[in-house]
C-alpha cells in the first residue's frame, strides 16, 4: 500500500525551485522563467483558511511543491509534539507535496518553541533519539522524508562522531533521504575550520533528494576570526556556487532550491539566481558519468 | 560533559547567563558564537511581534516596542511553531506591564490586533447573496437565523477603540472620547474594521448563539433603548460577517439546516 502510493508520487524535478514568498505570487503565475517547483514552510500554512492557503491552492496546480518543516524539533530531548504531528499530517494530506523535509536541529523544549534551529551533539544517544523521531514522522506521514544538514556555530565536547557519520547513520537506519544545504556546509565548514570540499566528498550523495542554496552574512568570533551566519538574506556567495558545482560533478543534476527569506528581492533577481543554478546543472549534466 | 536542553534554553533566554559548559569552538571562545543563537531567537520573534501589532508599535514608538518585545518574548515564548498565535498573550501582558500604565487603552488595542490576525487566518466562507435576501419577505427574514462567518470578530471597549485604530492604522480621523464597539470582518481575504452602532456586539453575540433576528433585536433593544436594528443589520450583511441564512419553514414548522 505504502509502496503503491510512493510509486504514484510526483518527485521534485531536477531543475531549480525557489522558496515561495507572497510578493512573488503574480510573477510565478505570469513569468516563472526557469523555476519549475516551489518550497513552502509548513508552519505558515497550518491555518483554517485565508489568502495564504488560497494562494498555495492556486500554485499547487502549476508547480510541484516541496513542504519544508521548521518546527518539528526532530533533535529535541522531548517527544515530538503530537499536536504538531497531527497538524503536519493534515497539511500533507491536503497538499500532497512532492517532498517533505525537516532539519537536523531542535527548536522546542518544555512546551515552548524558540523559533531557531538549535544544534544537536553527535552522540550515540542523540542518534538513537533522532532516528526514533524520524521513524515516527515517516510512519505518520506515510512517506520518506528528507533531513537537512545544519549550519552550526559551536561544537559539543561530548560529540562522538563527525556530522557526516551522524547523518549517514540516520539515513541508513531510518531510510530517510537527505537535503544537502550547500550554504550550510560552507558556513559550518568555515566556522569550524573544516575543508568544505572534503565534507562534500565524504557526504552520502546517493541519498540526497534536494539541494539548498542561500546567502550568508559575515561576522567575527571572540578571537576576531571570520564567523559566517546563515541568514538567507542575500545572493548565494561565490564560493558557495563553486562548492555547488563540485556537488553537481559528484552527484549529477539535483532539484536545487534558492532560499531567500529576509530582504526578499524582486522576482527578476531571485529568478536570475535560479537561472544560474540551472545553467550549472546543464553544463555539469553533459559531463556527468554517474555516482562513483 | 553533556549539555542538556534546559540549560541551553536558560542561557538562550538570559544574555547575562554564561554559555553552557560543554560547548566549544576551534579557537576556544564561545560567547560571540552562542550570541548567534540568542540573536536569531530574539530578533526573529521581535519581528514577528512587530508584524502582528503595527498599531501598538505606532502608539509606543519603535524603540520602546523593541525593548518591550524583548521582555514579552522571554516571558511568553511561543507555545507552538504556529507563530501567528505567538502574540495572543499581548493583551494580558500589557495590562501588567508597568511602563505602559499611563496608556490604559493599549490592552484593548492589542486585543483588536489579535482579532484582526485571527480573522485573516480563519476559515473562508461566502456571504449571503443578494438573491437570497431579495427572495425573502421581510417578516420571514426577521424570523430567520443568521449564521455568523468564522472570520467575524467583535470587540467592545471602554475606549474609542475604532477611532484609535483608524487614526493610527490608516491615518484617518481623530478618536472620540466615548466607548466604542467594532466589528472585524472579511469579504474575501483582507479583514476590515467597522464601527458598530451601540449594542451591535450584544446583537451579534445573540445571533451567534442561535437567536432569530427578531428575538436578538428585541433582547438587544430591551438593554439599549437607542438600539438601531437597520444600521446594524446593514453592516452585518454587507461586511461579510454573515455567511448563511436559515429561513423558518412555514409548511413543516421545522427549520432547514445548513452548514455555516
Amino acid at each position: 500500500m505504502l509502496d503503491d502510493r510512493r510509486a504514484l508520487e510526483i518527485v521534485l524535478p531536477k531543475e531549480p525551485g525557489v522558496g515561495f514568498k507572497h510578493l512573488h505570487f503574480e510573477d510565478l503565475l505570469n513569468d516563472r522563467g526557469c523555476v519549475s517547483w516551489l518550497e513552502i514552510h509548513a508552519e505558515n500554512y497550518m491555518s483554517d483558511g485565508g489568502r495564504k492557503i488560497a494562494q498555495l491552492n492556486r500554485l499547487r496546480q502549476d508547480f510541484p511543491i516541496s513542504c519544508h518543516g521548521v518546527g518539528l524539533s526532530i533533535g529535541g530531548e522531548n517527544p515530538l509534539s503530537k499536536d504538531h504531528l497531527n497538524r503536519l499530517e493534515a497539511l500533507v494530506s491536503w497538499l500532497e507535496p512532492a517532498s517533505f523535509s525537516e532539519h537536523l536541529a531542535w527548536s522546542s523544549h518544555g512546551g515552548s518553541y524558540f523559533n531557531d534551529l538549535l544544534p544537536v551533539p553527535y552522540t550515540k544517544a542523540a542518534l538513537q533519539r533522532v532516528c526514533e523521531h524520524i521513524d515516527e514522522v515517516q510512519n505518520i506521514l506515510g512517506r520518506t522524508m528528507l533531513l537537512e544538514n545544519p549550519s552550526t556555530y559551536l561544537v559539543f565536547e561530548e560529540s562522538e562522531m563527525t556530522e557526516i557519520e551522524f547523518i549517514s547513520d540516520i539515513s541508513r537506519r531510518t531510510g530517510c533521504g537527505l537535503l544537502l544545504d550547500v550554504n550550510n556546509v560552507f558556513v559550518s565548514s568555515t566556522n569550524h575550520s573544516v575543508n568544505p570540499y572534503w565534507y562534500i566528498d565524504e557526504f552520502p550523495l546517493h541519498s540526497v533528494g534536494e539541494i539548498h542554496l542561500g546567502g550568508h552574512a559575515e561576522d567575527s568570533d571572540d578571537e576576531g576570526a571570520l564567523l559566517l551566519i546563515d541568514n538567507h538574506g542575500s545572493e548565494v556567495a561565490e564560493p558557495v556556487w563553486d562548492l555547488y558545482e563540485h556537488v553537481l560533478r559528484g552527484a549529477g543534476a539535483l532539484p536545487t532550491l534558492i532560499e531567500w527569506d529576509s530582504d526578499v528581492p524582486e522576482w527578476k533577481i531571485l529568478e536570475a539566481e535560479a537561472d544560474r543554478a540551472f545553467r550549472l546543472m546543464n553544463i555539469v549534466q553533459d559531463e556527468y558519468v554517474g555516482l562513483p | 560533559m553533556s549539555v542538556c536542553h534546559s540549560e541551553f534554553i536558560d542561557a538562550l533566554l538570559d544574555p547575562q547567563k554564561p554559555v553552557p559548559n560543554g560547548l566549544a569552538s576551534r579557537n576556544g571562545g564561545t560567547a560571540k558564537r552562542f550570541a548567534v543563537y540568542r540573536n536569531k531567537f530574539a530578533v526573529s520573534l521581535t519581528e514577528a511581534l512587530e508584524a502582528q501589532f503595527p498599531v501598538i508599535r505606532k502608539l509606543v514608538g519603535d524603540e520602546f516596542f523593541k525593548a518591550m518585545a524583548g521582555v514579552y518574548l522571554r516571558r511568553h515564548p511561543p507555545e507552538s511553531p504556529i507563530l501567528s498565535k505567538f502574540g495572543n498573550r499581548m493583551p494580558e501582558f500589557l495590562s501588567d506591564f508597568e511602563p505602559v500604565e499611563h496608556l490604559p487603552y493599549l490592552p484593548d488595542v492589542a486585543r483588536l490586533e489579535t482579532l484582526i490576525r485571527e480573522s485573516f487566518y480563519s476559515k473562508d466562507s461566502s456571504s449571503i447573496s443578494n438573491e437570497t435576501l431579495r427572495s425573502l419577505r421581510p417578516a420571514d427574514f426577521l424570523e430567520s437565523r443568521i449564521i455568523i462567518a468564522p472570520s467575524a470578530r467583535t470587540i467592545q471597549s471602554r475606549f474609542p477603540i475604532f477611532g484609535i485604530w483608524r487614526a493610527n492604522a490608516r491615518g484617518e480621523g481623530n478618536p472620540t472620547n466615548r466607548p466604542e464597539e467594532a466589528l472585524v470582518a472579511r469579504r474575501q481575504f483582507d479583514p476590515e474594521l467597522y464601527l458598530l452602532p451601540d449594542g451591535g456586539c450584544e446583537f451579534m453575540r445573540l445571533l451567534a448563539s442561535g437567536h432569530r433576528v427578531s428575538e436578538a433585536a428585541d433582547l438587544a433593544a430591551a438593554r439599549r433603548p437607542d438600539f438601531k436594528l437597520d444600521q446594524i443589520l446593514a453592516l452585518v450583511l454587507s461586511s461579510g460577517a454573515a455567511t448563511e441564512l436559515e429561513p423558518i419553514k412555514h409548511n413543516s414548522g421545522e427549520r432547514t439546516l445548513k452548514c455555516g
Side-chain angles (χ1 to χ4, degrees), chain A residues 46 48-52 54 71 77 109 112-116 153 155 157-158 190-191 193 220-223 226 230, chain B residues 2-6 9 22-24 26-27 29-33 40-41 44 78 81-82 121-122 124 189-190:
Chain A
M46 291 178 172
D48 297 329
R51 176 180 281 113
K52 291 186 175 194
E77 280 176 4
H109 186 70
S112 293
Y113 171 73
F114 300 97
N115 201 38
D116 194 10
Y153 309 98
V155 293
E157 286 170 356
E158 64 191 298
T190 305
N191 292 343
S193 296
S220 58
D221 70 6
D222 294 276
E223 287 76 19
L226 180 64
D230 174 39
Chain B
S2 70
V3 183
C4 74
H5 287 181
S6 306
I9 291 303
L23 293 171
R26 57 176 174 174
N27 298 323
T30 53
K32 281 193 76 176
R33 290 165 176 261
K40 279 206 177 181
F41 158 71
S44 67
I82 319 293
Y121 286 105
S122 60
D124 305 330
F189 296 129
D190 294 311

Side-chain angles (χ1 to χ4, degrees), chain A residues 171-186:
Chain A
S171 176
R172 239 188 333 266
R173 283 169 59 170
T174 65
C176 78
L178 300 173
L179 193 172
L180 177 60
D181 188 315
V182 178
N183 182 58
N184 286 357
V185 170
F186 188 76

Side-chain angles (χ1 to χ4, degrees), chain B residues 3 19 29 31 39 46 56 59 64 73 85 87 110 126 135-136 138-139 166 187 191 225 245 253:
Chain B
V3 183
V19 175
N39 284 343
T46 299
I56 295 284
L59 288 167
F64 188 91
L73 62 90
K85 296 181 178 168
S126 50
S135 70
L136 279 177
R166 192 176 55 164
R187 282 204 192 86
L245 266 186

Side-chain angles (χ1 to χ4, degrees), chain A residues 7-252:
Chain A
L8 292 171
E9 244 178 58
I10 307 157
V11 293
L12 292 172
K14 291 178 178 177
E15 289 170 9
V18 295
F20 170 53
K21 297 291 163 213
H22 299 283
L23 77 141
H24 299 143
F25 178 68
E26 297 293 334
D27 296 305
L28 282 163
L29 293 178
N30 301 323
D31 180 24
R32 59 152 79 182
C34 69
V35 171
S36 69
W37 57 278
L38 300 173
E39 186 157 286
I40 56 132
H41 285 179
E43 285 71 12
N44 290 342
Y45 298 88
M46 291 178 172
S47 61
D48 297 329
R51 176 180 281 113
K52 291 186 175 194
I53 300 277
Q55 287 188 341
L56 180 56
N57 196 30
R58 173 66 191 85
L59 290 169
R60 69 198 273 259
Q61 296 166 26
D62 288 11
F63 294 86
I65 304 287
S66 160
C67 182
H68 190 51
V70 298
L72 264 180
S73 200
I74 280 176
E77 280 176 4
N78 299 143
L80 298 181
S81 157
K82 293 277 181 267
D83 285 348
H84 200 59
L85 278 172
N86 289 339
R87 285 189 288 257
L88 189 63
E89 197 276 326
L91 176 65
V92 166
S93 298
W94 167 72
L95 183 59
E96 297 178 327
S99 170
F100 173 74
S101 51
E102 251 283 359
H103 299 85
L104 175 57
W106 59 286
S107 53
S108 296
H109 186 70
S112 293
Y113 171 73
F114 300 97
N115 201 38
D116 194 10
L117 299 166
L118 301 169
V120 174
Y122 301 134
T123 62
K124 292 191 189 76
L127 180 71
Q128 177 66 26
R129 212 166 56 221
V130 169
C131 287
E132 285 168 8
H133 287 166
I134 290 177
D135 286 341
E136 192 179 354
V137 174
Q138 295 190 141
N139 280 334
I140 286 179
L141 299 185
R143 58 162 72 210
T144 305
M145 60 166 277
L146 306 178
L147 185 71
E148 178 176 343
N149 59 297
S151 54
T152 57
Y153 309 98
L154 289 158
V155 293
F156 290 83
E157 286 170 356
E158 64 191 298
S159 285
E160 299 160 333
M161 56 193 106
T162 65
E163 181 171 295
I164 294 169
E165 288 166 341
F166 193 82
I167 289 175
S168 303
D169 260 15
I170 292 170
S171 176
R172 239 188 333 266
R173 283 169 59 170
T174 65
C176 78
L178 300 173
L179 193 172
L180 177 60
D181 188 315
V182 178
N183 182 58
N184 286 357
V185 170
F186 188 76
V187 165
S188 298
S189 297
T190 305
N191 292 343
H192 307 309
S193 296
V194 170
N195 180 343
Y197 288 84
W198 170 84
Y199 188 106
I200 296 300
D201 292 342
E202 293 292 309
F203 201 81
L205 292 177
H206 55 272
S207 300
V208 173
E210 181 185 341
I211 301 235
H212 274 182
L213 295 174
H216 59 249
E218 294 187 354
D219 202 341
S220 58
D221 70 6
D222 294 276
E223 287 76 19
L226 180 64
L227 183 69
L228 296 184
I229 299 173
D230 174 39
N231 70 349
H232 305 168
S234 58
E235 278 103 350
V236 177
E238 287 306 320
V240 175
W241 282 117
D242 294 343
L243 191 60
Y244 171 61
E245 191 172 338
H246 185 71
V247 172
L248 294 178
R249 289 190 192 284

